[in-house]
Amino acid sequence: MKTKLVIPGLTAGLLIASFLYKPGVITGFQQFYEFIMSGLKDENNIKIILFLYMFTGLIGMMKFTGGIKGFVEAASSKISSKKGALMLTWFSTLGTFSAPSFRIVTVAPIMKALLNKVKITPQELGFVIETTATPIIVLMPIATAFVGYMSSVVQLSIRAEGIEGDGYRLFLQSIPYNFFSISIILIGFYLSFFHDRKKPATDAGNPEKKLDDKWEDCHPAVAKELPSKPFNLALPLGGVILLTLLLTYWSGFEKGFTSPVNAFIEADVLDAMVFALLTTVLFTFLLYLFQRFSLKELVRFFIEGGNDMMPVIVLLTVVWGLAASAEALGFSEFVTANLDWIPALFVPPVLFLVGAFISYFIGSSWGTWGILMPLGVSLGNSTGTDLPLVIGAVFASGTFGAFSSPLSDNTNTIARILQLNPMTYAKFKLGPALIGAGTAAVGYFIISFVI
């Protein structure tokens, strides 16, 4: 909270844990290295890193070949009303749910081009776009940049507790308990189609500043010099989704589960996602080469796109090391011995509120999950609280910060594209976000009575 930076904070925690476990200058730093390497030696963790790098690399190629710009141009030329713009925002989620940043840079420029044509303010449009970004994406069970990480932090946490189970399956079971995401989606839907606020389209930080209606160059993905080829987005993205579904089903089918539902539950989802993405990337290279794009440039943009994910990969590496250090220091035993007196009724709502506070001040859902999930699973296990409910509460708390924090990447990306003042825009979102958070907290109290 002091530095507003997640990675240095987590690294400081890991260094302290290393020196607590093995005091001494040399032994402490050696243990720090061993904790870091423990996560990188895990096969599933390497698959997650590979998936994240290839996914953002694929988006980098989409940008270079005009896929994102083509989608923006095609959509902006056909929408001329507020209702049409908002319907496009919601329906476009079906094709852009892979990552919040990807969704924002494909939808926000369209909205920017339409703001002076429709009766809606840029901050209201930004709110609707963000409502259909992270809150929806965290509920998606496949083909997103979030699934691998969310399953990973759950798997690490249950492994530290000695709990038998599968992280992905617990993630699936926790989806209905992400009450903040569900609440803010409903609020966003109401504001989109049932709330009429007649105000001129002005900057949230400067009411006298007229919004520029040009969408070119509002983000590098839609720069003027890029070509406009919407199929260069639709085909690769559709291929990833379709192949992931088919390979996930096939993975479960090979294990003897013919029912689609059982096949999906029992499948090796991470393997299917990585294989589907790798196959799509290879065919996408061929598709773009057939269009006479330079192989050298394709490789450069793929690597540049993948490198955009390096801060997240570093974050993951530190989180995995911190999980190993917490296990070595007996974190789960400490929680079981000292905190099992807490009534199960209070565990989910308190975890959600504490996590929402943390995530607002660090602006990172992934950082919040990495910090809070081990504690949540330990508390849930020691108090007998339903684990999917606890996991859902932790995921909901991180989603709150990613949506509402002025430090969030999503907030600042939207503000840059729509020419908003980030702090003023964040304050505008905070009211509905707090309503959603209050609704979620009450929901956790009520559901704790029932389960």
Side-chain angles (χ1 to χ4, degrees):
M1 288 187 290
K2 176 66 176 176
T3 64
K4 310 295 190 297
L5 298 172
V6 177
I7 294 176
L10 291 175
T11 303
L14 181 55
L15 278 169
I16 292 172
S18 301
F19 282 95
L20 284 173
Y21 190 65
K22 285 189 177 180
V25 176
I26 296 178
T27 56
F29 279 111
Q30 184 179 21
Q31 188 59 51
F32 175 79
Y33 166 78
E34 289 177 3
F35 281 144
I36 289 289
M37 292 306 298
S38 66
L40 294 176
K41 292 177 182 177
D42 187 282
E43 181 182 351
N44 285 335
N45 291 348
I46 295 298
K47 291 175 184 175
I48 291 168
I49 290 175
L50 182 62
F51 176 85
L52 293 174
Y53 194 92
M54 287 196 303
F55 183 83
T56 49
L58 181 62
I59 292 175
M61 289 198 298
M62 289 179 188
K63 179 179 74 173
F64 166 63
T65 58
I68 295 175
K69 182 179 178 181
F71 177 83
V72 171
E73 192 174 78
S76 62
S77 64
K78 298 179 181 179
I79 303 297
S80 59
S81 67
K82 174 183 176 180
K83 185 176 180 180
L86 293 176
M87 287 184 66
L88 172 66
T89 302
W90 283 89
F91 279 113
S92 64
T93 308
L94 297 174
T96 58
F97 64 80
S98 298
S101 56
F102 175 64
R103 171 149 179 72
I104 288 170
V105 301
T106 53
V107 175
I110 301 172
M111 300 298 105
K112 184 177 186 290
L114 299 173
L115 277 171
N116 289 331
K117 301 178 184 179
V118 299
K119 286 186 176 182
I120 188 169
T121 63
Q123 56 266 35
E124 288 174 319
L125 265 178
F127 173 84
V128 175
I129 294 170
E130 285 204 75
T131 299
T132 56
T134 300
I136 287 181
I137 290 167
V138 296
L139 303 179
M140 294 290 180
I142 60 167
T144 77
F146 278 55
V147 172
Y149 178 74
M150 296 172 82
S151 302
S152 173
V153 293
V154 174
Q155 188 67 48
L156 284 171
S157 301
I158 63 174
R159 184 188 303 166
E161 284 292 302
I163 301 171
E164 293 292 330
D166 178 70
Y168 178 73
R169 187 176 300 183
L170 283 170
F171 160 64
L172 288 181
Q173 294 171 349
S174 75
I175 289 176
Y177 299 120
N178 192 330
F179 291 159
F180 175 75
S181 289
I182 296 170
S183 298
I184 203 66
I185 289 169
L186 293 175
I187 291 171
F189 189 81
Y190 166 76
L191 292 176
S192 295
F193 301 108
F194 302 100
H195 179 71
D196 185 20
R197 187 177 181 180
K198 297 180 180 179
K199 293 176 66 177
T202 55
D203 188 296
N206 183 2
E208 296 180 357
K209 181 181 177 182
K210 188 67 175 177
L211 185 75
D212 178 12
D213 62 353
K214 296 179 180 179
W215 54 266
E216 295 94 340
D217 293 326
C218 68
H219 191 277
V222 291
K224 288 181 180 179
E225 63 270 15
L226 293 176
S228 178
K229 297 178 179 290
F231 281 104
N232 284 347
L233 179 149
L235 292 178
L237 198 60
V240 169
I241 296 171
L242 181 60
L243 270 177
T244 300
L245 290 171
L246 291 175
L247 291 173
T248 301
Y249 172 76
W250 182 253
S251 175
F253 179 79
E254 283 190 316
K255 294 181 179 180
F257 297 92
T258 55
S259 166
V261 174
N262 291 332
F264 271 86
I265 291 175
E266 299 297 333
D268 294 323
V269 181
L270 184 57
D271 282 339
M273 288 176 62
V274 173
F275 185 30
L277 182 58
L278 178 60
T279 304
T280 303
V281 166
L282 293 175
F283 276 100
T284 301
F285 264 106
L286 295 176
L287 171 68
Y288 294 160
L289 287 173
F290 182 75
Q291 298 177 41
R292 299 186 181 279
F293 285 102
S294 164
L295 176 60
K296 181 179 179 180
E297 290 298 296
L298 288 174
V299 171
R300 180 169 74 86
F301 275 89
F302 178 82
I303 293 174
E304 286 182 1
N307 288 345
D308 287 341
M309 192 55 67
M310 288 309 298
V312 173
I313 292 173
V314 173
L315 169 67
L316 280 170
T317 303
V318 180
V319 165
W320 292 329
L322 200 58
S325 70
E327 184 178 358
L329 288 169
F331 175 72
S332 60
E333 290 85 353
F334 171 82
V335 171
T336 302
N338 295 278
L339 300 177
D340 58 350
W341 56 269
I342 299 177
L345 172 67
F346 292 101
V347 171
V350 170
L351 274 174
F352 169 73
L353 293 172
V354 170
F357 178 81
I358 293 171
S359 67
Y360 184 81
F361 282 98
I362 66 176
S364 169
S365 58
W366 288 29
T368 303
W369 298 335
I371 293 168
L372 202 60
M373 189 62 74
L375 174 61
V377 172
S378 291
L379 276 175
N381 189 46
S382 63
T383 59
T385 309
D386 183 66
L387 277 185
L389 175 59
V390 169
I391 292 167
V394 173
F395 284 142
S397 69
T399 308
F400 172 83
F403 177 83
S404 63
S405 174
L407 301 173
S408 166
D409 289 343
N410 297 347
T411 297
N412 286 277
T413 303
I414 282 280
R416 185 171 69 251
I417 294 176
L418 297 183
Q419 299 174 239
L420 298 167
N421 179 288
M423 289 301 299
T424 308
Y425 171 56
K427 290 178 181 177
F428 172 81
K429 293 190 295 177
L430 187 58
L434 289 175
I435 294 173
T439 304
V442 172
Y444 289 122
F445 271 114
I446 294 173
I447 200 70
S448 296
F449 274 114
V450 177
I451 295 181

